[in-house]
Structure formats: structure tokens, C-alpha cells
Amino acid sequence: MKTREALETDYIGCMNPESQTASFLFNRNYWSVEHRKKAVLSAASRGVKPEILKELEWINAGVTPELDRSLELLRKGNSALVITGQQIGILGGPLMTFYKVLSAIKLARKLEQESGVAVRVLFWMQTEDHDLEEIFSWHIYGKGGEIATLQREISGKEQGRSAGEILNGEEFVKRLERFLAEHRLDNFLPLIEYYLTPEVTLADSYRRVLQGTFGNYGVLVFDPLSANVKAAYRDFIASSFLRSGAINRLLVKRTEELKEQGYAAQVVVREDSPLFFVAASDGRRERLRELPDGSLKGEFSEYSKEELFKILDKQPGRFTTSALIRPVFQDAIFPTAAYVAGPAELRYHAQLKSLYPFFHLEQPLVVPRNSLLLLEKRARRLWQRLGVQLDTLSGSEQEFINSYSGSAKNTGLEDIKNIENELDVQLDKLKDQLSNVDPVLIKDLEKTRRSLHVNLSKFRSRYERAVLYREGDLVSKFNELKNYAFPLSKPQERVIGFGYFLNRFGPEFISRLLEQVPEISDGESKVIELE
């Protein structure tokens, strides 16, 4: 079995319009210009339901002229979307969210230029997730480079609910304000009254951060948690339940195909479980399992299919997507030409290849997002001083010592040893000459030999101590840079909040990053040194 990263590596590595690997993984090959054009034209031929347009207008209209322009293009039709999305989080969440959006903007421009069709960007806020501990954590670089974390406590009644439904709350907003003040994130403080008021949900706060950051680029924001969205697609949800057995068999077969090629499954397929969650009467999400009699049982409730369809008719907002149906549901709603995906998403999009024709849909282009490492002033100096690569930083300090200073240390010791050997050779030659001149001098020569060797031995010891001191200093610098690049032992982009950098470098930071983000990821993290 290949590593989890192998699928991404193989897909990016092929970069071939005729690649069989790309064709095996996805229905469309991004590396083919023909496939890119077809994806855009196919998407542009589809419209958006009025109910969905109304939802988009409700949360995007009037925010910026570019957002209004994006809405107008969707109303008129004959336009396509590049979609990306992420689990919501405090003040926009971690850096990788914004790298997805930057990658989507670059991709939309490329597809529009190639096809001549208007292509805009839409961000799908994953408000349905209930991994609340992760969602309500915010990490920044604190004083001295340590990681400072703000964690919102989750009450008992909030546990298991979709994150988008949860209010910020007065206590959390006050804690956030103190946290920002303590860590001198002063530029954010005046914005809290708009971004994170106690009486609004985390979803609304997240949306406001995204619109404040990317509204001038026309990036639409969409919240799937709305009951109106689910009502507009009741038939899709009902079909997912009625045909869950056939859907899961397709997924199992596709997962086996991937495994045969050495690719591990990203999401475990539960053969007895439909791909939609249902909110119990107290709001907690529960995954259902189909019983032999056809009824469906969750952690808190049990339903007959008739009861479920009544809920779908009267309370469609209680249904939320799982990871394996979300992309298909998204592409049933929107004219998606391409989806910008993180590494894990690439893997489960590959699992979904056979579901698209099952729902009479075309799988869009699946495009890997860019990965970046941002270096502030001190981190930039360490980077330049050590001259390391990212793969070195991800290794151990002993590996670093061996690669960085081991060769220099060994070379120095070898030189001292060579001097000692050569010294003996030359002194032996001199000894032969002295025996013919004055044998008494031989005794003085041997005394000199011993003295020279003693001093060389002392010098060797001082050299070794100097190398050890240097190694200790280097190890300290290495660990400091490693903790910066891999805070909490994870890549920077998965941990550090984008708001931290936005606060430090201002709104123009977005345009600067956009200029430096590659048009398409090459599978490597691009290091950006910040002034």
C-alpha cells in the first residue's frame, strides 16, 4: 500500500494530458487543456435554481461591487464557478483556508482566459460539521515564538450540533478581545464589533471575515446549513436515502479499485449507512445505520423511512451532508467547473468518481491547492542562516546535525589526524639524519615529538568542544525554526490563524500573496519570505 500522500504526488507528478493515472483518479484530467475547456463549457450550460440564488443574494448582495458582479453573472447564466471550501473557524480559521481561496482565484482567471466564459469563485462554508473542539480553536505565534491558543469552551447543549448554528456568546467575545489585546493584535480589535458580536453565529462571523478579505475579488460565500437549500434539493436527499445501498456498493467497489492501485481510502465506507446526517430533536447530528427491517437507527433516535421523509418534507434543515456526499451535493446545486482541494479532499474526491454518473452529474476538475510557508523577519533570518529545506525541518535534530555539521566535524578531525601522521613521518626522517650528526639530539627530538603530540591532542579536544558548542547553537536555532514551520508538530498552514498575518501585514497582504501564489501547485510548499 502506498503512503496517504501518494495519490496527490502521482496526480501532480503526471502533468500529462494523456495521463492514464489522472484519468483513473478523476473523470476529468486537469492537465488537459481540452478537458479544462469542456469542464467550463459544461458547467456554464447549467443554471442555478432561484431558491439558491436567493440564498446567495441574502448573504452576498451589497457587500462589494465585485460580489454584486458575481451575482449578476450567475443570474444571467452562461457562467461557471471554481469552488473551494473548508470547515469554519474563528476569525477565518487557519492559513490553509486562505490558500485555497487564493488558488481558486488564480484558477478561475486561468479558466476564464482559456474558455472565454466568465468564471467566478464560490467558497462553500462547511457549517454543518460538529468537530467543535477543532473548530473553536485559534492559534497564533505568541511572545518569544511560542504558540498561543484561544479555545472556546463548548457547553453540553452545544455538543454534537452543527458549528454554524452556535452563537459566539458574550463570554467568548470578551475572552477574544483580551486575547487580541494581550498579543498586540490591535488591528483586529476595532473590527470585532462587526466580525464577532455575541449575538451572531460563528457562521456569520466567518462569512464576514471572508467577505472582508476577499469581497473585492468577487468571491461568493455560501452556507449549506440553510433549510431553504435543503428544501430546494429534497429529491436529491430522498434519493440518497432510498438508494443508499446502491450508492454504498458503488463506493465500496471504487475504494477497492483504488486499493488495487495502492491508494489508501480517505473515508471509510459504511455499507449500512446513508450519506446524510440527521439532527435529533435536541439538534445533535447523528449518523444513521439501516437495520434489517429497513428502519434507520442513530445514536439518539430511530426512524422509519416514512418518518424520515416526513421530516424532510416539514423540516429539511435537519439533514446535513457527510464528507462523501458533500461534493456531489455541491455540484448538483452549482455550475462547478473545478474544485480546489486539499490533500485529504483529493483522496476522497477520487473515491467519488463513480457517484457522479449515478446522479447524472459530471465530476468537475479536481485541482490541488497551493501550500505555503510564511516566514516573518526572525524566521527568515534563521532560514537563511541554516540554509535548510522543508524536508530537513520535518526531520529530527540528529538528522539535521548529521547533515549540517557532521561532515565539517569529521573533515576537521581528519585534518588534525593527517597532521599528526605527517609530523611523525617528518620527525622520523630527521631522526635518521641526527643519528649521523649527534646521537644526543635524538633524545631532544623525542621530547619535542611528545610535546607536539600533547599540544595537538589538546587542540583536537578544543576543536571538538567548539564543534559541540556550534552544534548546540545550531540545534537551538533548528528547533526554533522547526517549531515555527511545524507548530504543534503540524504544518504552519494547518495551525496558525490567517488573522495573525493579516493583522501584522495589513489588507495589502492578500494582493502580495496572490502575486506569489503559483498558478497550480507542484506538490511542494512554496516558502514566502515576508518583509
Side-chain angles (χ1 to χ4, degrees):
M1 186 65 68
K2 299 179 181 180
T3 65
R4 278 195 171 276
E5 295 74 23
L7 189 147
E8 179 187 20
T9 303
D10 289 354
Y11 182 49
I12 293 174
C14 65
M15 292 191 182
N16 181 344
E18 305 298 328
S19 167
Q20 292 186 353
T21 297
S23 298
F24 167 72
L25 293 174
F26 305 109
N27 283 319
R28 282 203 167 98
N29 180 0
Y30 170 78
W31 311 111
S32 163
V33 177
E34 181 184 357
H35 280 213
R36 293 200 295 268
K37 289 181 178 179
K38 282 183 177 179
V40 174
L41 293 172
S42 175
S45 68
R46 300 175 51 216
V48 180
K49 285 188 177 183
E51 300 95 322
I52 303 302
L53 280 172
K54 187 176 180 180
E55 286 294 312
L56 285 172
E57 290 166 351
W58 176 254
I59 60 177
N60 292 282
V63 178
T64 68
E66 279 301 312
L67 280 172
D68 288 340
R69 170 70 176 151
S70 295
L71 289 169
E72 182 61 25
L73 287 169
L74 281 182
R75 287 190 205 99
K76 288 181 177 179
N78 197 34
S79 61
L81 291 172
V82 171
I83 295 182
T84 192
Q86 184 61 37
Q87 174 180 276
I88 61 176
I90 298 169
L91 290 176
L95 284 161
M96 63 179 178
T97 299
F98 292 82
Y99 299 163
K100 281 184 171 182
V101 181
L102 293 171
S103 301
I105 292 171
K106 278 286 186 77
L107 178 60
R109 291 174 177 177
K110 177 184 179 70
L111 295 179
E112 182 170 297
Q113 184 179 30
E114 285 182 342
S115 66
V117 173
V119 182
R120 306 299 266 192
V121 175
L122 181 141
F123 188 91
W124 179 287
M125 298 194 302
Q126 193 36 255
T127 50
E128 299 174 323
D129 285 353
H130 62 279
D131 186 3
L132 301 183
E133 184 175 349
E134 179 180 347
I135 289 168
F136 281 103
S137 298
W138 196 56
H139 308 283
I140 63 167
Y141 294 119
K143 299 171 185 176
E146 82 286 358
I147 305 304
T149 299
L150 177 69
Q151 182 77 51
R152 182 191 183 279
E153 294 181 2
I154 308 300
S155 69
K157 67 179 182 180
E158 292 171 338
Q159 289 287 353
R161 299 179 69 93
S162 291
E165 300 174 342
I166 297 175
L167 297 176
N168 291 314
E170 187 172 349
E171 180 183 349
F172 171 66
V173 172
K174 287 180 179 178
R175 284 185 58 217
L176 175 61
E177 289 173 338
R178 290 195 297 270
F179 184 83
L180 294 174
E182 177 186 354
H183 295 284
R184 299 181 180 179
L185 299 177
D186 304 324
N187 294 332
F188 259 127
L189 282 170
L191 303 175
I192 291 300
E193 291 185 4
Y194 175 70
Y195 282 156
L196 261 154
T197 53
E199 68 278 3
V200 304
T201 62
L202 177 66
D204 281 332
S205 296
Y206 188 83
R207 169 181 59 80
R208 292 171 183 179
V209 172
L210 284 176
Q211 289 174 333
T213 307
F214 294 110
N216 288 331
Y217 295 91
V219 177
L220 295 163
V221 180
F222 181 72
D223 184 355
L225 202 55
S226 166
N228 294 330
V229 172
K230 307 299 169 45
Y233 282 86
R234 282 191 182 94
D235 289 348
F236 184 99
I237 299 171
S239 177
S240 297
F241 277 96
L242 286 171
R243 301 193 291 172
S244 62
I247 290 170
N248 288 337
R249 285 191 293 274
L250 279 175
L251 287 172
V252 168
K253 181 181 178 183
R254 175 59 178 166
T255 300
E256 288 303 316
E257 290 174 352
L258 289 165
K259 286 182 178 179
E260 286 173 7
Q261 298 300 315
Y263 300 116
Q266 176 62 27
V267 182
V268 176
V269 179
R270 304 168 190 261
E271 294 189 54
D272 59 352
S273 180
L275 297 180
F276 275 85
F277 286 81
V278 178
S281 56
D282 61 1
R284 289 181 292 177
R285 294 177 86 207
E286 54 182 342
R287 182 188 294 276
L288 301 180
R289 179 170 56 88
E290 189 165 1
L291 300 177
D293 64 1
S295 63
L296 294 117
K297 182 176 176 57
E299 186 179 351
F300 318 112
S301 317
E302 186 172 337
Y303 310 89
S304 67
K305 285 187 177 175
E306 291 75 16
E307 288 171 326
L308 274 179
F309 293 143
K310 284 180 181 178
I311 294 172
L312 180 59
D313 185 51
K314 303 295 184 183
Q315 298 173 289
R318 287 176 62 178
F319 291 82
T320 52
T321 58
S322 68
L324 281 177
I325 199 66
R326 186 181 303 147
V328 186
F329 186 57
Q330 158 199 293
D331 299 330
I333 296 174
F334 291 111
T336 314
Y339 184 83
V340 173
E345 291 175 303
L346 279 175
R347 293 191 286 272
Y348 68 68
H349 273 77
Q351 283 183 266
L352 299 178
K353 181 180 179 182
S354 57
L355 276 197
Y356 278 85
F358 183 84
F359 282 98
H360 305 290
L361 296 169
E362 293 186 41
Q363 188 178 33
L365 299 165
V366 184
V367 185
R369 68 164 171 85
N370 280 291
S371 177
L372 308 177
L373 171 63
L374 306 182
L375 298 179
E376 298 171 90
K377 186 176 181 180
R378 176 163 175 77
R380 185 179 75 244
R381 288 176 177 172
L382 289 173
W383 179 267
Q384 294 168 350
R385 167 73 176 83
L386 296 175
V388 294
Q389 300 298 319
L390 266 181
D391 57 352
T392 305
L393 280 178
S394 63
S396 69
E397 64 180 44
Q398 188 58 53
E399 290 171 333
F400 164 71
I401 291 170
N402 292 341
S403 65
Y404 191 90
S405 59
S407 59
K409 176 182 175 182
N410 293 335
T411 300
L413 290 174
E414 187 65 30
D415 288 342
I416 294 171
K417 182 65 175 175
N418 289 337
I419 290 171
E420 290 177 316
N421 292 336
E422 183 62 25
L423 177 65
D424 283 328
V425 170
Q426 296 303 323
L427 288 176
D428 287 341
K429 288 181 181 179
L430 183 58
K431 183 178 177 180
D432 292 339
Q433 296 174 17
L434 290 176
S435 63
N436 297 323
V437 177
D438 185 354
V440 175
L441 292 175
I442 294 175
K443 185 177 180 181
D444 292 335
L445 178 67
E446 291 303 327
K447 184 178 179 181
T448 301
R449 185 197 300 267
R450 288 193 296 271
S451 177
L452 288 171
H453 276 294
V454 166
N455 286 317
L456 276 171
S457 178
K458 289 178 179 179
F459 178 76
R460 181 173 61 246
S461 296
R462 288 197 297 272
Y463 175 80
E464 288 179 327
R465 286 197 299 272
V467 170
L468 287 172
Y469 176 82
R470 178 172 177 264
E471 285 179 353
D473 183 52
L474 288 172
V475 166
S476 175
K477 288 180 170 59
F478 168 79
N479 284 327
E480 182 181 349
L481 183 57
K482 176 175 179 144
N483 291 335
Y484 183 91
F486 293 92
L488 307 180
S489 301
K490 298 177 183 177
Q492 179 196 66
E493 61 189 23
R494 301 189 65 84
V495 176
I496 302 299
F498 179 80
Y500 168 82
F501 286 95
L502 189 61
N503 178 85
R504 288 212 57 197
F505 297 98
E508 66 277 6
F509 178 58
I510 302 298
S511 58
R512 287 167 54 197
L513 273 188
L514 189 59
E515 289 175 3
Q516 297 185 67
V517 167
E519 194 170 76
I520 180 68
S521 171
D522 61 1
E524 301 292 333
S525 288
K526 179 178 174 60
V527 177
I528 296 182
E529 300 181 18
L530 304 173
E531 299 298 331

